[in-house]
Amino acid sequence: MKLARVLPVVDKDIDVVALTPPKSTSLLSTSAQDDKAHELVNCKPLESIEAAVTTEAHENARRTSGRTHEEVQYVRLEQYDYDEVKGIAVIFRNAIVTGAESLVTDCSVVYRPGGGSNFETGAGWNIYRPLTAESPHFNWTSKVDIDRAVLLASFYAHGYFHYIVECLPRVVMVRDFVLRNPDVKIIHYPPVAADLVLLYQLLGIDPARVVEYDTKTLYRANTLIVPTATATFRANTLAVQQTRDLFRDSIPGQLGIPREDPFERARLFLSSSSPGGLIRADRVRIVVHDRGRGKPRSVEQQKELESAILKRFPNAEVTVYNAARANTREMIVMHYRADVVVGPHGAGLSNALFMRRGSSMLEFNIPDRRTDPSIRCHEITATKLGLRYFYESAVGGKHSGVMQINVDDIVAALVPIVDFHENELNSSVHLTK
């Protein structure tokens, strides 16, 4: 059995995905640093996923390939290209998946989807550790058989940011196919909170179709579809925009809250409690993130910050978000309604995916990490989602420890942000009976 490393690379001349074999046919001696381009091997482009998974197309591919092993096929998804990432969905027959890397093989090639790299290797798309004799990729203790499935599991996808920004939007790339084929399962890492499977429901996908991925289990699928991985810390532009739009379209109906209506929010009505006799129907909504006590990047002056914001913006609706105290529904609703989110660097800022275009985010972090590409992940996500992003430096602390801030500086940075949203509401005010 020949096991080859497969690295998706777009050939400049013929625009197809090249499969790059290793120097050795032995998997355990494969060098992950071998980036030399080789001949195109056993790769067939198709117009749609349906074309790839039909029996007729599969049998035709086998007859024309002249090979004894299963043919690797793919569907090019150019609309999901960004940076160096190429949008593709690779389709395997009789494939197995296992290990922390979600390594895929059909016993003729090994496909390493990439994405979710370890922090030492940088923010890459196809970054992964070298395979060695000590690699734990094939140390499974149980086996699960599935007929057809989409593979979303990737490095670090058990962490909330990697789960909601890097992993979940990949299902949106093939969502139409998934909705048309209710038998197709979704393989993903179990999220940090069990009720986060609600996010699939918001995408119109039954959470019962989800299969939780375990690195010590071998998964065998008759047909396996692998959407292109997300570059670490860099959201797929179109995929996160589509995910946000699907979330915001379904949240009111599924979670039973009023749909956001800017016209209704700016309504004026008569009130005896108002000095001028009129009061606006809604206020600017500020969500302040609290990472708890003693946790990485928790804020030493958290209570002082909350009190200062309440004092400086008495006309605003100020809510504190703490992941340990809020369930998934509360978290979603809080950020769906938010005009402004302010808080330290942390996975909670990934909730930008529930926020409206044009809302604002103010992030602060220890100053010596600002140039680290991993620290810009929330800026990248917020910008791609059309949020107004702002950054302030903390005055001390460690990435893995407690952070110290200048409360006055954070509040001062908030003033023009809140004023912008006040003006946004005031520009639309109208009097109704």
Side-chain angles (χ1 to χ4, degrees):
M1 178 177 69
K2 294 182 178 181
L3 298 180
R5 176 170 66 90
V6 180
L7 177 67
V9 179
V10 172
D11 187 286
K12 294 181 180 178
D13 297 324
I14 55 180
D15 193 32
V16 296
V17 177
L19 306 188
T20 308
K23 295 176 180 178
S24 168
T25 57
S26 170
L27 175 66
L28 294 182
S29 63
T30 294
S31 169
Q33 306 305 317
D34 177 21
D35 293 328
K36 181 180 178 182
H38 289 266
E39 61 180 305
L40 296 179
V41 179
N42 207 33
C43 193
K44 182 179 179 63
L46 292 165
E47 293 182 358
S48 68
I49 295 175
E50 277 86 350
V53 300
T54 60
T55 301
E56 182 180 359
H58 179 58
E59 290 304 315
N60 287 341
R62 285 177 61 87
R63 285 195 295 270
T64 57
S65 67
R67 298 180 182 273
T68 58
H69 52 69
E70 302 291 346
E71 181 168 277
V72 179
Q73 300 168 319
Y74 72 93
V75 177
R76 188 75 167 86
L77 305 172
E78 294 183 4
Q79 66 271 35
Y80 294 106
D81 289 0
Y82 74 104
D83 297 344
E84 79 278 19
V85 177
K86 303 301 177 185
I88 52 176
V90 184
I91 297 95
F92 291 89
R93 293 281 183 159
N94 298 322
I96 60 174
V97 187
T98 193
E101 193 180 320
S102 311
L103 186 146
V104 182
T105 180
D106 63 358
C107 294
S108 60
V109 295
V110 168
Y111 183 70
R112 310 180 73 174
S117 67
N118 61 327
F119 296 105
E120 291 76 18
T121 55
W125 172 40
N126 287 114
I127 304 297
Y128 39 73
R129 298 178 179 89
L131 291 174
T132 68
E134 291 75 34
S135 295
H137 295 287
F138 294 105
N139 295 331
W140 61 80
T141 57
S142 60
K143 183 168 73 73
V144 173
D145 288 321
I146 304 172
D147 182 23
R148 301 199 296 175
V150 173
L151 177 66
L152 300 184
S154 60
F155 269 144
Y156 291 105
H158 54 277
Y160 184 61
F161 166 81
H162 301 281
Y163 173 77
I164 194 172
V165 174
E166 296 177 356
C167 174
L168 194 65
R170 294 171 62 206
V171 78
V172 175
M173 301 180 189
V174 295
R175 177 174 175 269
D176 289 346
F177 170 79
V178 170
L179 294 181
R180 288 194 298 267
N181 297 271
D183 65 296
V184 174
K185 303 294 186 182
I186 298 166
I187 304 174
H188 81 156
Y189 270 103
V192 291
D195 59 352
L196 279 170
V197 293
L198 170 64
L199 301 183
Y200 284 100
Q201 184 177 316
L202 295 178
L203 295 176
I205 299 170
D206 185 352
R209 298 171 65 176
V210 174
V211 176
E212 292 192 347
Y213 186 78
D214 176 73
T215 59
K216 295 295 185 181
T217 298
L218 183 144
Y219 300 83
R220 192 191 71 81
N222 292 328
T223 301
L224 186 71
I225 301 151
V226 189
T228 195
T230 304
T232 313
F233 308 121
R234 288 179 286 138
N236 186 302
T237 308
L238 179 59
V240 293
Q241 290 172 355
Q242 291 176 327
T243 303
R244 184 269 313 277
D245 292 346
L246 288 166
F247 281 161
R248 290 192 62 83
D249 186 59
S250 61
I251 284 170
Q254 293 205 31
L255 301 189
I257 64 172
R259 185 170 297 278
E260 285 295 284
D261 184 345
F263 188 75
E264 178 63 21
R265 287 189 63 189
R267 180 171 58 88
L268 292 175
F269 61 92
L270 296 174
S271 172
S272 59
S273 62
S274 173
L278 293 173
I279 189 170
R280 197 176 61 210
D282 205 358
R283 299 177 290 167
V284 173
R285 302 162 183 169
I286 304 172
V287 175
V288 184
H289 281 205
D290 174 8
R291 288 182 60 83
R293 300 293 173 267
K295 295 183 178 180
R297 297 175 307 285
S298 59
V299 178
E300 187 173 295
Q301 300 88 354
Q302 180 69 37
K303 291 303 180 183
E304 292 93 326
L305 176 63
E306 294 169 12
S307 298
I309 291 174
L310 284 166
K311 182 178 180 180
R312 180 61 182 80
F313 307 106
N315 295 324
E317 176 188 313
V318 180
T319 307
V320 177
Y321 167 67
N322 183 304
R325 295 196 294 265
N327 61 34
T328 293
R329 184 189 182 280
E330 292 167 338
M331 173 191 76
I332 292 171
V333 171
M334 201 178 296
H335 291 85
Y336 173 82
R337 298 179 70 250
D339 295 309
V340 182
V341 165
V342 55
H345 178 85
L349 296 180
S350 309
N351 291 319
L353 267 83
F354 306 117
M355 297 172 66
R356 64 176 174 86
R357 182 181 294 275
S359 57
S360 299
M361 176 182 290
L362 173 60
E363 177 184 15
F364 47 89
N365 199 3
I366 53 178
D368 64 337
R369 295 297 298 272
R370 179 58 177 155
T371 57
D372 186 327
S374 68
I375 299 304
R376 296 188 61 240
C377 56
H378 300 302
E379 175 187 0
I380 292 169
T381 305
T383 302
K384 290 188 174 189
L385 291 171
L387 273 61
R388 303 170 68 247
Y389 176 85
F390 304 88
Y391 180 88
E392 282 291 318
S393 290
V395 297
K398 296 181 179 180
H399 186 74
S400 58
V402 177
M403 180 190 305
Q404 294 83 40
I405 62 170
N406 184 312
V407 172
D408 291 340
D409 287 350
I410 302 300
V411 173
L414 271 176
V415 170
I417 299 173
V418 175
D419 285 349
F420 173 87
H421 291 289
E422 280 284 355
N423 292 333
E424 187 180 42
L425 284 173
N426 289 335
S427 66
S428 301
V429 295
H430 55 284
L431 181 63
T432 59
K433 294 181 179 179

